[in-house]
Every structure is written in structure tokens, then in C-alpha cells.
Amino acid sequence: MKTLPSQGKNHTDILEEMRQYGGQDVNYRQARTWSLVYHLDEEHTEFLKQAYGLYFSENALNPMAFQSLKRFETDVINMTAHLLHGDEQAVGTLTSGGTESCLLPVLTYRDLAKANRRFPFKPEMIAPESIHVAWSKAAKYFGVKIRYAPLKQDFRVDIAAVKKMINRRTIMLVGSAPSYPHGVIDPIGELGLLAQQHKLPLHVDACLGGFLLPFIEMNGGGVPLFDFRIPGVTSISADVHKYGFAAKGASTVIYRDMKYMKHQFFIHEDWPGGVFASPALLGTRPGGAFAAAWAAMHALGENGYRENAQKIMDITSKLQRGINAIDGLQILGHPDMSVFAYHSIDDGINIFAVGDQMEARGWQIDRLQRPEGLHVMVVPEHAKITDEYISDLTASVELVKSNPKLAAKGNAAMYGMIANLPFRGMIKKEVMKMMKGMYSSQGQMPMDGSKNPWLVEKVAGFMQRRKSKKSQG
Ligand SMILES: *Cc1c(COP(=O)(O)O)cnc(C)c1O
């Protein structure tokens, strides 16, 4: 077990040691990643660090003490609300990230519903199956039951199914713009109508799209309406630290009106530490993240975001054309933005084995289940690797086609099992074990199929038994 060094070390040595630890990390600077990092370029990053550094120590816990931070928050919220076509009544808070911006509306609408009902009830929310996992986390944290509405063939939520699920316990509806897995925008207009008919709040999770879709629209691209122009929409979340290209730790949750947001505020008037009021989840709120969000929006401006949106969408079309041109691969659905997934339409091509081959070529690949696919999220820097990605993908598909056994090897076998195992409780148990290992004092890294041959054998055996069972009928 590591202990605190008895003697402090010199800064140069510490920084050198820290740099070395990064040697194994995924290579986002060379645009080898398709999630996790929204890196515009080195110049912008250096600028963000300066902006962050200016307010490194400041704390938005007390906006009266740091009026600078309150100003950043108000400006960022107003600019975002304006982009999303909110009117003068629109209000919001800066949060630490998309997850907080999804947690808060569940709390807010649960308490709004409680305030309006005389009898105790078990709150429920209705969300598409494709909704971001932060919403099921919110449901768990705040004691709300989440009911998943099925998707239609086009991966957008089935409105008829949502309608059937609404009952007296329903506190809110949610839709995505776009969804993380398939990059499609739910039919927000129809959800809005349902919400109005049943007097329910409707939140649009635009964590991904909030800082991209408005600029695609300004550039003349066809984007279905998803924002406050739809009368039933009562709140929207949009991440500045994704396509807003701010520093991590900055997202927004915007409400149509204070009459909703007031239920988000927490006030405790009898605390011995003083009367306490807090607008969002955190206590201490990092000034640096507020400052960098404000700085990013001012540095890019409408023209900068529009140029980026153009670049991003050009890369996206090029990638999609390239992928669709590969025999046996197909884009899932008709994505509305720069986030999408593709899958195999050829039994001879295991898509997870293709993913392994791509990783062997130095790409960091994200995998989807139900249906199985590989995931892509485009940033401007991908312009320099688009051709390489497509040629590596072509080669990977060829290799997997001619080596069907690869499907039962490496990570493909493991992901295949995880996606298909009917006993979901078993998966949960295994993942819990993995989490305990990672968060034990040893900090064990999780199983990697390619580095644990015994595990692969175990999984291969499992797949074999499953196959023979299937063929026996
Ligand atoms: C990223 C994302 C979230 C969660 O945001 P974090 O910043 O990762 O906490 C929520 N919803 C959608 C659609 C997202 O893409």
C-alpha cells in the first residue's frame, strides 16, 4: 500500500514522473480516439489553460464573494439559452458536467410533482431506451423509477409506446438530441405535444448536440427542431466541455422558466455554519472551469463554432461514405450529427473482431451492444486521419473475413459474451467484482481479453456451448 512520502519532493521530479505515467494513455493528440476528449488544437488548449489558471483558486460556492464567477455563469447561461432559442424567461445553472445536468432535472421535476400533489406517490419518469446512462443514475440516486420506452427501427423513441406508459405517477418525459449510441434526435416535437397534453415537464438531453446542432442549422444543414422553439420543452442540458470545446468540468442546464428551476435550489436556513443556499449539486464549485467555459465561448464565437461545425460535418460525411463503401459494414440508422455507430451486415464479419483489429492498429475503439457496433464521435482534428481510419478499417474487415476464428479471440470474445449473455445479473456481478478490484488498495486494472488467455479460453468455451445449444434448437 502506497503511503504519503515522508519528505516532499522537488517539483521537477514530480512533474517528470507524472508525464511518464501518461505514456500508456490513449493518444488523443494524434486523433486516435473517438470519445472522452474534445480536443480542438494545441493553441486553443493552451488558451483554455490560461483562462482556467486566472481563476484557478476561486470558488463559486459563494457568488457574492466572487462576482466574477457569477458573471461568467450568467453570461454562459444566457449565451447558451439564446442558442437554444430560450426567451427572456430562460434561466439556468452552470454544472460540473453532463451527468450533473441530467441528475438535476430529475430532482427538480420530482420535487415539482411533489409540490403539486397532495398524496404520496412513487414517482416515475419515461425515457427512450437509448437515453444516456446518466439518467438511470439520476433515477437511482433520487428514488425515481425509470421506465424505458422502446425505439423504432430508426432508433428514435416510439411515441405510441411513450404515450401508453404515461400514468398518474409520471413526473417527466425525456428525449435526446441526439442520443449517444446512435446519434439520432428523438421526435422532440411529438414528445412536446404529449408533454403538453399531460401537463408534464419535458427535458431534452442535448449534452452532445447543444453546442453543435445550432451551428449546423446556421450553416444551412437540415436539423429537426429540438430546442425551446418546441412549446412542450421545459428544460435542456448542453455540455460546454464537449462540442463547446471548454475545459472539463463545465455543462449547463437551462429551464424555460424560474418556476421550474426554483425546485432545483437547496436552502438550509438552520445550519450552525450559517444559512446555506446552493443552486446545484456541488458545494465548492471550481472557478477555473467557469472561467474556461466563458473564455471558450468568447474565443470561438458564432463564426468559430460554425466553422468547426462545417469541418466536423464534412469529416462525418466522408467517414460515413467510406464505411458504407466497405462490403459488409453499414451505418446504424440515419444519424443527425457527428456521432454515429456502424455494424456488420455480413455473418462472416464479427464487428467486435474488427474493433480488435483496429485497436491493434493504434485506434481507441468504443463498442455498442444491442445491436453490436463500433462507435464514432468526430472532432475537427480527425480531418488528418480520415483516410487512414478508412484504410485501416478496410484492412481489418478483410482480415476478420479471412480469419473467422478471430471472433472467439481477444476482446471480441469478451465483448461478444458481455453483449449476448442472457443472464444480465451475472454481468452485473462480474462488473461489480471488477470495480471492487479497481478500487481496492491495489487499484487492479480490469480484465483485458487480449492479455488474459485463460479468460479468453473460458469465454470461447462458453460461446461454443451456446452455439451448439442453439444449433440443437
Ligand atoms: C456525455 C453525455 C452525458 C453525460 O455527460 P458527462 O459530461 O460525461 O457527465 C449525458 N448525456 C449525453 C447525451 C451525453 O452525450
Side-chain angles (χ1 to χ4, degrees):
M1 185 183 284
K2 181 155 173 117
T3 55
L4 189 67
S6 58
Q7 301 290 318
K9 296 182 184 176
N10 103 22
H11 292 180
T12 319
D13 293 348
I14 295 172
L15 293 173
E16 182 46 38
E17 185 180 346
M18 290 174 74
R19 274 190 202 101
Q20 282 180 14
Y21 291 154
Q24 299 296 312
D25 290 350
V26 295
N27 188 354
Y28 67 87
R29 284 193 186 84
Q30 257 62 54
R32 309 298 286 191
T33 54
W34 301 90
S35 63
L36 300 171
V37 181
Y38 293 75
H39 182 248
L40 194 55
D41 56 44
E42 285 301 329
E43 193 192 341
H44 182 73
T45 303
E46 286 309 313
F47 166 70
L48 289 183
K49 286 183 193 170
Q50 279 184 19
Y52 199 107
L54 282 179
Y55 287 87
F56 181 83
S57 302
E58 280 74 354
N59 187 347
L61 170 66
N62 185 343
M64 260 100 82
F66 296 109
Q67 294 185 17
S68 52
L69 299 185
K70 186 68 205 82
R71 173 170 193 162
F72 295 149
E73 179 170 27
T74 305
D75 286 355
V76 168
I77 292 299
N78 284 338
M79 290 187 284
T80 310
H82 186 255
L83 278 176
L84 301 172
H85 295 93
D87 62 17
E88 293 297 310
Q89 303 300 313
V91 288
T93 52
L94 251 178
T95 67
S96 59
T99 298
E100 189 181 345
S101 298
C102 299
L103 292 177
L104 287 170
V106 175
L107 174 79
T108 301
Y109 294 139
R110 184 200 68 183
D111 289 355
L112 170 71
K114 281 188 177 165
N116 290 334
R117 279 171 227 206
R118 267 176 233 127
F119 306 103
F121 71 109
K122 288 186 176 156
E124 292 181 4
M125 57 190 276
I126 303 170
E129 270 175 5
S130 55
I131 200 76
H132 193 274
V133 69
W135 293 91
S136 88
K137 197 179 198 179
K140 184 178 178 203
Y141 282 9
F142 298 128
V144 174
K145 179 176 173 186
I146 185 163
R147 298 188 63 196
Y148 290 108
L151 309 180
K152 303 233 280 200
Q153 288 278 309
D154 62 0
F155 299 101
R156 295 172 221 277
V157 74
D158 182 345
I159 293 295
V162 174
K163 191 173 177 179
K164 272 194 206 138
M165 286 178 164
I166 297 175
N167 63 35
R168 283 177 310 165
R169 295 181 291 276
T170 310
I171 58 157
M172 69 184 295
L173 306 180
V174 196
S176 310
S179 68
Y180 175 87
H182 316 112
V184 299
I185 301 177
D186 284 312
I188 304 298
E190 291 170 71
L191 281 175
L193 275 178
L194 265 186
Q196 283 188 303
Q197 283 162 5
H198 292 86
K199 296 196 168 51
L200 288 170
L202 166 61
H203 183 94
V204 176
D205 181 355
C207 280
L208 269 179
F211 281 90
L212 189 59
L213 293 170
F215 304 108
I216 297 176
E217 186 181 338
M218 286 178 205
N219 287 344
V223 175
L225 285 194
F226 70 95
D227 58 21
F228 288 115
R229 281 172 289 182
I230 293 172
V233 171
T234 52
S235 53
I236 303 178
S237 43
D239 289 353
V240 208
H241 70 194
K242 284 184 184 156
Y243 282 113
F245 296 105
K248 282 190 178 50
S251 169
T252 60
V253 56
I254 317 268
Y255 293 87
R256 183 180 286 281
D257 194 289
M258 186 61 85
K259 73 179 182 196
Y260 300 108
M261 189 164 77
K262 68 176 190 188
H263 295 278
Q264 182 179 298
F265 296 158
F266 173 82
I267 299 161
H268 187 52
E269 62 281 15
D270 293 328
W271 185 42
V275 174
F276 184 90
S278 157
L281 210 70
L282 302 188
T284 290
R285 299 167 85 208
F290 282 43
W294 192 90
M297 291 178 80
H298 281 82
L300 284 160
E302 190 179 296
N303 68 322
Y305 282 115
R306 282 183 64 172
E307 271 170 38
N308 276 327
Q310 192 60 53
K311 271 190 219 161
I312 290 168
M313 293 314 290
D314 288 345
I315 302 165
T316 301
S317 340
K318 197 169 162 193
L319 277 171
Q320 290 181 342
R321 276 198 308 274
I323 292 167
N324 277 332
I326 298 174
D327 210 18
L329 296 191
Q330 193 180 54
I331 307 294
L332 281 168
H334 295 281
D336 287 305
M337 215 179 80
S338 54
V339 178
F340 63 92
Y342 55 95
H343 70 147
S344 160
I345 48 170
D346 177 340
D347 283 345
I349 306 167
N350 179 293
I351 197 69
F352 288 157
V354 173
D356 286 357
Q357 291 307 312
M358 288 298 278
E359 289 198 329
R361 287 165 172 77
W363 301 98
Q364 161 80 12
I365 300 292
D366 299 297
R367 294 151 179 93
L368 297 190
Q369 56 180 356
R370 310 168 171 210
E372 291 168 14
L374 304 183
H375 199 241
V376 172
M377 193 141 60
V378 177
V379 291
E381 285 214 318
H382 284 136
K384 54 189 185 200
I385 54 76
T386 312
D387 292 329
E388 191 190 347
Y389 184 87
I390 295 296
S391 66
D392 279 356
L393 190 58
T394 310
S396 298
V397 167
E398 284 309 314
L399 200 88
V400 169
K401 238 185 206 167
S402 50
N403 298 279
K405 286 209 173 100
L406 287 174
K409 285 207 174 105
N411 281 326
M414 191 166 67
Y415 286 109
M417 183 188 78
I418 291 173
N420 291 303
L421 201 68
F423 316 111
R424 306 311 291 171
M426 213 166 111
I427 300 285
K428 196 166 185 171
K429 239 190 199 161
E430 286 300 316
V431 175
M432 180 57 91
K433 250 194 239 164
M434 188 192 92
M435 293 289 282
K436 286 177 177 169
M438 268 169 89
Y439 287 89
S440 69
S441 55
Q442 281 90 32
Q444 292 154 354
M445 287 316 281
M447 294 300 178
D448 180 338
S450 58
K451 290 175 198 140
N452 293 277
W454 63 269
L455 178 79
V456 174
E457 264 168 42
K458 201 168 132 180
V459 172
F462 170 83
M463 298 285 272
Q464 202 52 50
R465 284 195 297 280
R466 198 166 156 263
K467 228 184 188 169
S468 58
K469 249 193 198 156
K470 250 191 185 168
S471 59
Q472 283 162 19

